[in-house]
Amino acid sequence: MILPIVAYGDPVLKKEAGEIEKDYPDLDQLIENMFQTMYEASGVGLAAPQIGKSIRLFVVDGSPFAESDEDEEEDPRAKGLENFKKVFINPIIEEENGEEWGFNEGCLSIPDIREEVFRKEEIVISYYDENWELKEETYNGYAARIIQHEYDHVDGILFTDHLSALKRRLLTKKLTNISKGETKATYRMRFPLKKKQR
Ligand code: NI
């Protein structure tokens, strides 16, 4: 089932989400719905707050970022993305290492806006997978980037929070318009400042 994606301005996106227990109701169904919703919107990651649930859960599938053309020069940051489909439950970023690098990030909750965000190159993350197996893994490059962005969501942080005060001010009107439902996004959304929901 495709769920509406919560747009910028909804308080759920600013809230620190809570951990869940193994007996969380219909978790498998929720995870499946989140993947379906993410694919429908052509996203590479989706966090539970973005579908209105303030819980520490996100899904990712980085395969659209994987190298497709074999003739192209290999981008080391894209390594391993073809199999990067995962569920993260109650994640904890244990370490962030390396140099910060800039990448033009977007977010399904903030359509039509992309801005350069600086984050560290490598992360170590512990989490439970969809079978409640505890994992600890190291990620680099785009995979780390996707995780860092989604992990921020469960902490109530958006990529716009990483921008300079000036940049944020320049985006104010665009962000307010998104909250009102004025966006070119073609997927189903829920807007905090729109009177009548579509
Ligand atoms: Ni996002």
Side-chain angles (χ1 to χ4, degrees):
M1 187 172 71
I2 290 164
L3 308 164
I5 294 176
V6 169
Y8 182 91
D10 192 304
V12 74
L13 295 176
K14 300 299 289 176
K15 219 172 125 183
E16 192 180 332
E19 292 195 340
I20 56 170
E21 303 284 340
K22 240 179 178 172
D23 61 356
Y24 189 85
D26 301 318
L27 184 59
D28 290 346
Q29 188 61 54
L30 174 63
I31 289 167
E32 201 189 305
N33 290 345
M34 283 176 65
F35 272 117
Q36 215 183 325
T37 301
M38 180 184 80
Y39 291 134
E40 173 71 15
S42 305
V44 293
L46 183 71
Q50 294 183 275
I51 48 105
K53 288 198 185 300
S54 192
I55 58 174
R56 302 185 78 82
L57 161 69
F58 60 83
V59 301
V60 302
D61 186 347
S63 50
F65 279 4
E67 303 279 89
S68 48
D69 191 345
E70 283 179 18
D71 298 331
E72 247 175 73
E73 217 175 297
E74 207 175 298
D75 181 350
R77 289 198 165 115
K79 235 178 110 188
L81 283 181
E82 53 286 330
N83 299 315
F84 184 54
K85 180 184 176 185
K86 279 176 181 287
V87 177
F88 293 83
I89 301 169
N90 299 342
I92 295 173
I93 291 187
E94 308 281 357
E95 280 178 45
E96 284 187 285
N97 300 310
E99 295 284 307
E100 291 202 340
W101 61 291
F103 183 72
N104 233 8
E105 291 189 22
C107 179
L108 295 178
S109 294
I110 315 175
D112 318 325
I113 296 180
R114 297 191 75 87
E115 289 292 340
E116 188 175 42
V117 176
F118 287 84
R119 300 184 193 267
K120 286 189 175 172
E121 176 71 34
E122 181 186 280
I123 60 159
V124 180
I125 187 168
S126 65
Y127 65 98
Y128 291 91
D129 70 6
E130 64 276 27
N131 303 312
W132 286 93
E133 272 179 50
L134 183 60
K135 310 258 183 170
E136 183 174 282
E137 289 163 345
T138 301
Y139 291 98
N140 295 283
Y142 299 128
R145 172 67 57 153
I146 295 167
I147 292 171
Q148 287 162 318
H149 178 111
E150 299 312 325
Y151 186 85
D152 266 358
H153 274 301
V154 297
D155 273 344
I157 297 166
L158 300 171
F159 82 81
T160 46
D161 295 323
H162 290 284
L163 306 176
S164 69
L166 173 65
K167 254 220 171 111
R168 262 209 312 275
R169 200 156 68 229
L170 292 172
L171 288 173
T172 307
K173 189 159 196 299
K174 262 184 155 179
L175 290 168
T176 306
N177 285 344
I178 290 170
S179 300
K180 287 178 182 162
E182 289 160 31
T183 157
K184 291 193 216 80
T186 51
Y187 46 89
R188 216 176 137 209
M189 292 191 81
R190 199 178 87 194
F191 302 99
L193 296 181
K194 193 173 175 176
K195 296 271 160 58
K196 196 163 184 276
Q197 302 287 320
R198 61 167 139 145

